[in-house]
């Protein structure tokens, strides 16, 4: 008997994006000649074949509720041409092939409460993680930080007044997502975790917690006759990695979990190599609901960048040109010994081998 043909695997990954693309974009894929920036929030792309498409960008929140999504899609159906597109930084873009449709689309978006902008040399929407909704280790509400900051930076999103584009990120823990921006606002724990020894034996798999620590600071221990864990506080770098596999190792703390600001990160681009971020402000209060201290520092950095950078210099290029001492002067931030990590001594403090040291 002939063999039955094998069933094709079911592809459950990301669907083919071409089926959802605006037909003019699909037709001209890879064939765009140049683009213009007629006004903040609008891009005009011209294809080699002569087709033109206008893209209007509106700021939207990272996680959209169904009501807002329907509102945006209705605007897309009524004022655009039935296609939308999400950007990397959670903005929504609408495409039209007729210039006459651009202003009515902008009016519809603005009258529904959305802000049009975020293109070219503006501050784009802050990209952020969403730990409170889906993750096990958040130390702050990154979305709340974004909302408070963007409320104050709305004019920098709406207009294109920066020397070049500025990408800002926030992340809700110290170790995982986020950080891919010109300015990054991250949580910073400053004290080792406090262990609730009564719960460790019931809740935690001790070997996985021990393995999780990047500096081998956690050891199994018997406490009050029960199996538990202990932390060598001299080694602990307060990263927070032990808290997800072992919630009784609580590290979040209203007073000692702070925010830190890093600047100058940039993926590779056409002009230079990728650059790492560097810490510029530490110990900033993690102060909900409006985080005024962190916002004030970000605004100072943006103001100094706006005043001091040459046209089209990104933040990292500006700092590299003027030097770090002048950067600290310009943003009026103190330079302290905590800003320097030359990795001397890392042989002893970092777990550089594949073995777990107990
Ligand atoms: S930044 Fe940390 S807490 Fe926030 S979502 Fe990412 S891993 Fe989770
Ligand atoms: S995982 Fe991080 S916070 Fe936990 S003990 Fe190790 S260094 Fe300290």
């Amino acid at each position: 008997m002939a063999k039955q043909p094998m069933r094709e695997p079911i592809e459950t990954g990301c669907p083919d994006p071409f089926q959802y693309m605006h037909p003019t974009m699909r037709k001209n894929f890879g064939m765009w000649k140049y683009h213009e920036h007629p006004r903040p929030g609008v891009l005009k792309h011209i294809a080699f074949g002569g087709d033109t498409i206008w893209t209007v960008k509106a700021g939207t929140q990272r996680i959209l509720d169904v009501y807002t999504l329907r509102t945006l899609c209705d605007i897309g159906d009524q004022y655009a041409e039935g296609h939308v597109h999400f950007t990397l930084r959670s903005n929504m873009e609408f495409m039209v092939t007729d210039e006459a449709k651009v202003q009515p689309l902008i009016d519809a978006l603005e009258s529904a409460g959305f802000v049009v902008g975020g293109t070219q040399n503006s501050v784009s929407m802050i990209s952020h993680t969403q730990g409170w909704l889906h993750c096990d280790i958040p130390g702050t509400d990154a979305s709340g930080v974004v909302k408070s900051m963007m409320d104050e930076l709305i004019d920098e999103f709406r207009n294109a007044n920066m020397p070049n584009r500025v990408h800002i990120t926030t992340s809700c823990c110290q170790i995982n997502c986020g950080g891919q921006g010109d300015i990054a606002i991250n949580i910073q724990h400053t004290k080792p975790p406090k262990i609730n020894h009564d719960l460790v034996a019931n809740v935690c798999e001790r070997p996985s917690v021990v393995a999780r620590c990047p500096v081998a600071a956690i050891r199994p221990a018997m406490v009050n006759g029960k199996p538990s864990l202990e932390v060598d506080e001299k080694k602990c770098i307060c990263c927070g990695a032990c808290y997800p596999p072992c919630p009784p190792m609580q590290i979040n703390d209203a007073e000692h979990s702070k925010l830190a600001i890093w600047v100058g990160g940039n993926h590779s681009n056409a002009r230079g190599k990728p650059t790492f971020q560097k810490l510029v402000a530490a110990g900033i209060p993690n102060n909900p609901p409006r985080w005024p201290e962190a916002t004030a520092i970000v605004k100072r950095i943006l103001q100094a960048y706006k005043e001091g950078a040459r046209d089209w210099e990104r933040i990292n290029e500006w700092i590299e040109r003027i030097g770090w001492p002048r950067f600290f002067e310009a943003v009026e931030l103190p330079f302290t010994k905590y800003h320097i990590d030359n990795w001397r001594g890392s042989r002893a403090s970092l777990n550089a081998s594949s073995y777990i040291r107990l």
Side-chain angles (χ1 to χ4, degrees), residues 149-168:
M149 282 191 187
M150 285 312 286
D151 279 353
E152 303 228 4
L153 299 175
I154 188 166
D155 287 333
E156 300 299 353
F157 179 86
R158 212 180 245 149
N159 298 301
N161 290 332
M162 286 285 151
N164 201 337
R165 74 173 59 102
V166 179
H167 286 165
I168 307 181

Side-chain angles (χ1 to χ4, degrees), residues 215-344:
V215 291
I218 308 174
R219 287 186 290 256
M222 293 297 284
V223 180
N224 302 331
K226 285 188 184 166
S228 188
L229 298 161
E230 67 182 8
V231 170
D232 179 345
E233 297 197 351
K234 282 203 200 104
K235 276 187 173 178
C236 175
I237 54 172
C238 310
C239 68
C242 48
Y243 170 59
C246 187
M249 296 187 72
Q250 181 59 257
I251 194 162
N252 286 334
D253 181 284
E255 189 187 342
H256 299 294
S257 291
K258 306 280 191 184
L259 294 186
I261 296 181
W262 301 65
V263 303
N266 199 356
H267 293 312
S268 176
N269 63 24
R271 294 182 299 178
K273 292 179 184 168
T275 53
F276 285 118
Q277 292 169 328
K278 294 191 175 61
L279 177 75
V280 295
I284 307 161
N286 180 22
N287 190 4
R290 300 299 295 178
W291 290 271
E293 300 86 355
T295 304
I297 296 174
V298 169
K299 283 172 81 177
R300 280 215 306 271
I301 295 170
L302 289 173
Q303 189 60 34
Y305 168 58
K306 205 175 187 179
E307 285 165 9
R310 293 180 183 151
D311 286 352
W312 307 114
E313 261 180 342
R314 291 287 287 261
I315 288 189
N316 61 316
E317 294 163 333
W318 165 60
I319 299 172
E320 206 162 292
R321 178 171 60 76
I322 64 169
W324 285 95
R326 278 187 56 205
F327 167 80
F328 276 94
E329 271 168 39
V331 295
E332 295 171 23
L333 287 171
F335 183 80
T336 67
K337 64 179 182 177
Y338 301 108
H339 290 94
I340 302 168
D341 189 346
N342 58 10
W343 301 100
R344 251 191 273 165

Side-chain angles (χ1 to χ4, degrees), residues 20-292:
Y20 303 121
M21 235 183 237
H22 189 290
T24 305
M25 294 179 78
R26 195 162 56 226
K27 178 179 157 209
N28 294 288
F29 186 78
M31 297 299 292
W32 297 103
K33 194 174 174 192
Y34 66 96
H35 74 272
E36 294 170 358
H37 186 233
R39 54 151 282 177
V42 180
L43 295 169
K44 176 183 174 188
H45 283 81
I46 297 98
F48 280 104
D51 285 341
T52 304
I53 197 162
W54 283 261
T55 305
V56 177
K57 183 185 278 196
T60 52
Q61 63 266 44
R62 171 83 184 268
I63 304 278
L64 283 169
D65 58 286
V66 174
Y67 173 79
T68 311
L69 194 52
R70 287 207 171 118
T71 307
L72 286 160
C73 290
D74 288 346
I75 292 173
D77 281 338
Q78 200 180 338
Y79 295 93
E81 292 164 5
H83 289 79
V84 295
H85 164 155
F86 279 101
T87 71
L88 207 61
R89 310 187 83 77
S90 314
N91 293 147
M92 205 178 219
E93 292 183 338
F94 299 82
M95 283 67 62
V96 292
T97 47
D98 178 358
E99 190 173 6
K101 293 182 182 171
V102 172
Q103 195 55 46
L105 173 58
I106 293 174
D107 294 342
L109 285 164
E110 288 184 338
S111 60
F114 299 100
V115 188
V116 172
T119 47
Q120 204 162 273
N121 50 324
S122 60
V123 173
S124 70
M125 176 65 188
I126 300 180
S127 91
H128 64 103
T129 51
Q130 201 63 288
W132 287 146
L133 284 181
H134 64 77
C135 193
D136 53 1
I137 41 173
T140 191
D141 170 19
S143 321
V145 177
V146 169
K147 164 70 179 147
S148 321
M149 282 191 187
M150 285 312 286
D151 279 353
E152 303 228 4
L153 299 175
I154 188 166
D155 287 333
E156 300 299 353
F157 179 86
R158 212 180 245 149
N159 298 301
N161 290 332
M162 286 285 151
N164 201 337
R165 74 173 59 102
V166 179
H167 286 165
I168 307 181
T169 68
T170 68
S171 46
C172 31
C173 76
Q174 186 168 292
I175 47 174
N176 288 337
C177 347
Q180 64 282 39
D182 299 281
I183 303 177
I185 300 108
N186 295 340
I187 196 82
Q188 176 193 40
H189 299 298
T190 58
K191 291 262 183 189
K194 283 186 222 147
I195 306 178
N196 182 338
H197 294 289
D198 292 336
L199 291 180
V200 169
N202 302 343
V203 178
C204 313
E205 277 187 37
R206 293 188 305 153
S208 23
V209 187
V210 170
R212 192 76 172 246
C213 180
V215 291
I218 308 174
R219 287 186 290 256
M222 293 297 284
V223 180
N224 302 331
K226 285 188 184 166
S228 188
L229 298 161
E230 67 182 8
V231 170
D232 179 345
E233 297 197 351
K234 282 203 200 104
K235 276 187 173 178
C236 175
I237 54 172
C238 310
C239 68
C242 48
Y243 170 59
C246 187
M249 296 187 72
Q250 181 59 257
I251 194 162
N252 286 334
D253 181 284
E255 189 187 342
H256 299 294
S257 291
K258 306 280 191 184
L259 294 186
I261 296 181
W262 301 65
V263 303
N266 199 356
H267 293 312
S268 176
N269 63 24
R271 294 182 299 178
K273 292 179 184 168
T275 53
F276 285 118
Q277 292 169 328
K278 294 191 175 61
L279 177 75
V280 295
I284 307 161
N286 180 22
N287 190 4
R290 300 299 295 178
W291 290 271

